Structure formats: structure tokens, C-alpha cells
Amino acid sequence: MCDSCGCGDPEVVPVDVHDRILAGNDRAAAHNREHFRDRHVVAINLMGSPGAGKTAVLETTARMMAGRQQLGALAGDLATDHDADRLRQAGITAKSITTGSACHLDAAMVHRGLHDLPWHDVDYLFIENVGNLVCPAVYDLGQEANVVALSVTEGVDKPLKYPVMFLKADLVLITKIDLLPHLPQIRVEAIADALAHVMPRPHYICVSANTGEGMEQWLAWLEQVRVRQPCREVTHHP
Amino acid sequence: MHEYSIVGALLARVDAEARARGATAVHRLTVRIGELAGVEIDLLTTAFATFRDRTVCAHADLNVMPVAAVWTCPVCSGEIERGSVLRCAACGVPARLTQGDEILLDRIEMEVP
């Protein structure tokens, strides 16, 4: 009640909050991260456009790591189980997270996905996000590192068009480089230059899941993340 | 269109604050959205207008304060020019984002009986 003038009107009170709107997601992500670290599982959030080659990279990764490292995957998929099927055929313990119309995965979806996946004994858990260069970048899932797959067929200016996605990336995988001879207008140097304008620490590896080129470098990077874990500290402003 | 899910989280948070204080209505919300937050302010406003019905925010205004991205050098504190490579030309070190990735609920103005 307004008690300054006695008019009887309700009082309008300002409440200062200064908190992240996605604080609930951040808490769920921290919970996931704690689970992963307790179990020494390296969780990688793999993002990229639809068709960037995320699943293909994981298939080749699994074949190359067979017998050495155990891989798990949660595949975010709008409507089908196709990606998880392909991953299972490549020897990965995989489950789909069917998102319906949702354009991204959030930490709670990943947490629910973990309930359906025997993930405790895997060395790496790949969270293959929904194909999208916008929304997935906004949500922390509890991952150790963010990897963005960018295929050479997408052109050289994607990083400039979608800066937030690349800003959040710890590594960019430039995929399908076996196609470069057919794409005279695409130069890897131009992609690298675009990355340097949106990533303070631009780090990329050129790979082809088909020919295997660059894949050893990618595997070495994964090994580095595993050894250095925890490498990612999530900070938010302010 | 993750702006809809952000508005969902915003309304849930405001509802909890309003309940805790016994508020009967919310007049105005102030949020800060960074240029590099990955949130489209127009879509956020549309999503808010769609979802506020039948919540404590049904008649609330959404005041969005955009925050420009600022990159600085962690060594010399110099500002990196917009549109340039994100590395300090003088010190040679990677730039740091000092503002511009905020998705923040700043203030709720609510009616308390």
C-alpha cells in the first residue's frame, strides 16, 4: 500500500535482479559437467549447419579410435533417429534426442538423454547438436569443449554471418576438404581470415571424413582436451 | 527461434520473484541483451508479447537495453577496433570480450498490495 500520501493505491516496487535469464539452464549444465568430470568423460558439444558433416566426422573418428577409446553420442535430431543409427553402426554408443520443433539442445534435454544412454564407461561423449548456426550457441550443456563443423561448400563468410557460433567455438573443423579441387572460389585462407575476425583464439583443423585427411590432427586435439581436462571454464558477463 | 525459450525462462523467473514478494502484477521488466548474445531483440519482443498472456506479466512492458560488443586487450586495456581481427595489434595477444554477450534480467517493477 502506498503509505506516502495515503491514497490507497498499490505500490510499485522495483526489484533489481541482475541475473542471467538462462540461469536455470546454467545450473543444469553445471550439474551435467559435474557428472562428466566425476566419470572422467570428455563431453564435446559438436555444432554446425545441417549437412556440415558432423555425423560423418564422428563415424570416421569412431573407426579410427576403435579398440583404443570408447565413444558415446547423443544426437539432437528434429524428427528422425537417422544420425544415431549411423553412429551406432560406426560402433558408437548412441541415442537420439528428438527435439520436435526445438532448434537447439539445452542442458535439461541432455540430462534426460543421459538417462537413456549407458555413458559411464565412455571416454568421449559427443553431443551432436541440432544442425543450426544460431540457437545452439546460446546454451551451455555441460561440455568440456565446443567444436563447430564448417564445410567448405558453405562458403567463406559463414563465420562473419554467424559470429556468435564461432565466438563460442574452441575448435572449428573445416570439413569436406576433399571437395576443394571442385570449388575454385573457396580458399581455406579466406575462411581462416573470417575466423580471426570473430574468434580471439582462432583454431581450426581441415579434415575430410572421406579420405581421412586431417583426422589424425583432430584425434590429437581430442587427446589434448582429455589430458588437460578441465580446460573450459565457463564465464559470463558481467 | 530460441527467443521463445528465453522468454519462457524469463517469465518463470519473474513469476517466482513476484510470488515471493506477494506481487499482484508486474508493470515493467528491464533486460539487457548483448550484441553477441545470439538473441534477436525483435524476436524476443514478439515472443514476450505472445507468451505474457495469463501470466503475472500479462500487462507488463518489456524494456530491452541493447549492449554493444566491446573487445579489449587484456594486457594494455586498449579497445580493439570494430570489424578488425580480434588480437591486439600492439601486444599481439588475443582480445577479450568485455561486454556484449549479456542475456540478463536487470529489474522487475511489480505492484505490491
Side-chain angles (χ1 to χ4, degrees):
Chain A
M1 186 81 73
C2 164
D3 52 16
S4 49
C5 66
C7 65
D9 280 348
E11 195 177 359
V12 176
V13 183
V15 177
D16 288 324
V17 183
H18 302 306
D19 195 13
R20 291 205 7 112
I21 295 174
L22 296 176
N25 184 75
D26 294 344
R27 278 191 293 276
H31 179 74
N32 290 347
R33 188 169 283 114
E34 206 174 304
H35 274 315
F36 295 143
R37 288 181 180 172
D38 276 354
R39 290 277 172 178
H40 301 287
V41 171
V42 180
I44 306 283
N45 181 14
L46 179 58
M47 298 178 279
S49 308
K54 299 183 289 296
T55 311
V57 164
L58 293 184
E59 287 173 313
T60 305
T61 305
R63 293 196 175 106
M64 292 176 73
M65 280 189 170
R68 289 191 285 154
Q69 307 276 7
Q70 198 62 42
L71 307 190
L74 286 172
D77 203 315
L78 293 184
T80 73
D81 198 32
H82 292 175
D83 288 352
D85 258 347
R86 282 173 58 188
L87 296 172
R88 279 190 293 267
Q89 279 170 30
I92 302 177
T93 309
K95 270 276 176 197
S96 290
I97 302 178
T98 309
T99 58
S101 57
C103 47
H104 61 273
L105 294 177
D106 66 24
M109 289 183 210
V110 169
H111 188 250
R112 283 194 298 275
L114 290 174
H115 289 167
D116 297 329
L117 184 81
W119 62 276
H120 284 183
D121 297 322
V122 305
D123 298 292
Y124 292 95
L125 176 74
F126 292 98
I127 304 164
E128 185 181 337
N129 220 309
V130 180
N132 181 335
L133 281 180
V134 183
C135 315
V138 177
Y139 295 83
D140 183 12
L141 305 178
Q143 71 278 6
E144 208 57 53
N146 279 332
V147 176
V148 177
L150 172 66
S151 59
V152 291
T153 50
E154 290 172 71
V156 298
D157 59 352
K158 281 288 178 296
L160 301 176
K161 286 182 172 171
Y162 301 91
V164 179
M165 172 58 71
F166 292 92
L167 162 65
K168 298 281 176 77
D170 297 293
L171 173 72
V172 174
L173 281 179
I174 300 180
T175 59
K176 308 188 189 183
I177 54 159
D178 51 307
L179 296 179
L180 278 174
H182 306 285
L183 304 165
Q185 73 281 23
I186 304 288
R187 286 170 38 252
V188 169
E189 297 74 29
I191 300 175
D193 181 64
L195 290 175
H197 283 78
V198 294
M199 291 171 80
R201 288 179 180 76
H203 187 30
Y204 65 91
I205 298 174
C206 295
V207 298
S208 164
N210 269 345
T211 65
E213 192 178 347
M215 290 297 290
E216 284 295 349
Q217 246 183 297
W218 154 239
L219 263 51
W221 183 86
L222 285 172
E223 174 64 14
Q224 226 177 42
V225 176
R226 194 175 67 82
V227 172
R228 284 191 193 159
Q229 189 186 6
C231 76
R232 184 180 180 80
E233 294 306 327
V234 177
T235 52
H236 298 293
H237 295 113
Chain B
M1 285 297 279
H2 56 294
E3 285 78 6
Y4 280 80
S5 94
I6 290 172
V7 165
L10 174 66
L11 290 171
R13 177 64 193 268
V14 173
D15 185 63
E17 294 282 347
R19 274 170 202 273
R21 289 171 169 79
T24 48
V26 170
H27 284 215
R28 193 170 146 99
L29 302 179
T30 302
V31 299
R32 273 195 287 158
I33 304 294
E35 183 184 352
L36 291 177
V39 177
E40 278 303 319
I41 291 175
D42 284 352
L43 289 177
L44 190 75
T45 311
T46 309
F48 182 74
T50 309
F51 283 166
R52 70 182 167 179
D53 287 355
R54 290 191 291 279
T55 73
V56 72
C57 293
H59 302 290
D61 290 329
L62 181 67
N63 176 31
V64 183
M65 294 164 63
V67 183
V70 175
W71 291 91
T72 54
C73 170
V75 176
C76 71
S77 302
E79 202 171 309
I80 312 294
E81 202 181 319
R82 281 182 83 85
S84 35
V85 166
L86 298 178
R87 178 171 281 275
C88 177
C91 308
V93 296
R96 191 166 55 200
L97 185 65
T98 39
Q99 63 167 59
D101 64 350
E102 299 83 351
I103 307 178
L104 289 180
L105 170 58
D106 241 12
R107 173 176 272 211
I108 311 170
E109 289 161 56
M110 54 177 91
E111 193 173 302
V112 182

